Amino acid sequence: MATAPWYLNSDKPTLKHQRNWNEKGEDSDKWYDRGAKVYQATKWRKGACENCGAMSHKTKDCLERPRGKGAKYTNKNIAADEKVEDIKLVGFESKRDRWNGYDAKDYSRIMDRFEQLEEMRKEIRKKEELDKIHKGEKGAKEGEVAEAGEEGGAAEEDDETKIKDDEEAGFGEVKKRVRTTAGGSTGSVRNLRIREDIAKYLLNLDVNSAHYDPKSRSMREDPQPDKPDAEKLFHGDNFVRSGGEYSAWQSLTVHSINAHEKGLDVHMQANPSLAEMLYKQFKEKKDQLDGKDKEDVVAKYGSAAAPVPEDVKALAASERYVEYDRTGRVVKGVEVKAKSRYEEDVLLNNHTCVWGSWWRDGTWGFACCHSTVKNSYCTGKAGESAAAQVDAAMLANMEAAAREKEAADLKKRQESKLNDYKGYNTDVWGTEGPDKDLDPKKVDEALKKLEEREKAALEGDKSKRKYNSLEGAGGEHVSAEEMEAYRIKKSRGDDPLAKGAGTDGYDLL
C-alpha cells in the first residue's frame, strides 16, 4: 500500500517491499581532518606503538623514525594520538573523486610562494647584470646602469621563452616512457619537430614513394632518391643508422661469424670481449701483411708518387725542332732518338760486349767469348774456341749414341725367336702375289671336302671343325687349292649377277 489506512495512524508505507530498499543516503561534505591530534599522553600505554607511544597505530605502521630505544622502555617523548575518522562514501562518484577533500585555498598559498621566488630571482639577475656592467665585461656605458631595472628583467624574461640551441637539438630525440598506464617501461616518446621544417611526408607526395609510419614518425627510405645529395634536406632515417660506429660493429660481427664457421670458439653475444680482441689482432696482422705487400711492390716496380729520377727526366720530351722529308730523312734540326727504358751499354763482370750481343740456336750470350751464362766471366778467344769444341764434342756424342742404338736394334732383331716364322703365303691369303698353276684334281678334292663340311653343318653334325683343326704337320694352315675352292663356293653380296643364278637372267628385266 502506498498510502497507509486511517486506522493505522501512519503516514508511511507499511509494507517492506513498497519501500525504496536501494536507498543508501547522501554523502556528506565532511572529510578527514589532516594532522589533527586528540590526546597527548605522558606515559606509555598498553596496546600503543612501541616506537612513538601513540594509540592510533601499531608499531609496524609507525611513520616516525625508528628510535634507539622505543617509548615503551623510556616513557619519553610520547607522541600524540592522531584523530582517526571513519568516513563512509556511498555514491559512485564520491568514491572515485580524486579532488575529494581538496581545499582551494591551498593554491593561493602556492601562488604566493611562487611569486616570492620569482621576485628573488629577478633581483639576483639584476644584481649580476650590474656587476658585469661595472666590471666592463660587456663594454656598456654608465648610462645603461640605470636602465637595468624592470626593462632588463622583462627582456630577460622574454629571452627565457625562446628555444635554446640544446633544446632545439633534442626535438628528434627518442626517450623511453618510464611511467605508463600499466606501470611498465615500454613504448617511446619522440619529441615534436620544429614547426618551420617541412614534414617528411610532404617531401614527396607520390603514393609509391618511401613509406611514412605516423606512429613512430619515421621514414626509413629516402623520399627523394633522384635528387642530388647537396639539395636534399632529408636522406631517410636509415642514412643515420648506417653512419657512426655501425660499419665497425658490422665488420666485427661478420668476422666473429666467419671465425665461428671455421671452427674457432668465439661468439659475439656470448663473449664479446674475446670477439673484439680477436678482431683487433686480425686487423693488426692484416695491416702488417698489407704494408709488407705494398713495400714489396714498391721495391720491385717503383712508386708513381716518388720523385722522378734525373736519368728519367733526361728522357722526357724537349722543344727541339726537327723537320723530316717524305722519305723520313732529317731536313732540319738534329734527331734525338729515345733510348730504351732498360739499361743499355752495361758491361757485366769483365766482358767487352753486352749481354745479348751474340745469338745461336735460340740462346743469347756474349759475343766476346760466346758464353751463354749471364753471370759468367769473360774468357776471350779461349772461351770461344772452347765453346766450339764443346759443340763439336756434343755433336759427335749424339752421332755415336745414334749408331749404338741402331746396332742394338739390329742385334735384337737378329736374336729374336720370330726369325724362324715363315708367315702366311701371300698366294693363299692375298692377290698381290704372282699367279701360280693349280692342280685341277686337288681343286676338285677340295671342293668335295668343302661341300661335305657344309652339308654336315646343315644336318647338325657335331663333328664340326674346331679351332686350328686343319693345321698340318708342316705348319701351313690352308693350301692354295683349298683357298681356290673356298673362293669358288663363296657367295658375294655385292655381285649384281649373283641373284640371277638359275633364272637365265629373266628376273633382271
Side-chain angles (χ1 to χ4, degrees), residues 382-441:
E384 184 177 350
S385 60
Q389 294 176 4
V390 168
D391 293 341
M394 185 179 297
L395 181 60
N397 292 335
M398 293 174 63
E399 293 176 353
R403 287 194 298 271
E404 292 178 0
K405 185 178 180 182
E406 185 177 356
D409 294 341
L410 179 61
K411 183 178 179 181
K412 187 176 181 182
R413 287 195 300 270
Q414 292 175 356
E415 296 177 356
S416 177
K417 296 180 179 179
L418 298 176
N419 292 331
D420 298 333
Y421 181 71
K422 297 180 180 179
Y424 299 117
N425 191 355
T426 57
D427 297 337
V428 176
W429 295 101
T431 59
E432 297 178 359
D435 296 336
K436 196 171 185 179
D437 296 334
L438 298 175
D439 191 357
K441 295 181 178 180

Side-chain angles (χ1 to χ4, degrees), residues 3 67 139 161-162 168 174 199 205 212 223 334 362 368 403 416 484:
T3 305
R67 302 180 183 181
T161 59
K162 297 181 180 179
E168 182 179 352
V174 179
L205 300 180
Y212 175 74
V334 179
C368 54
R403 287 194 298 271
S416 177
E484 184 66 20

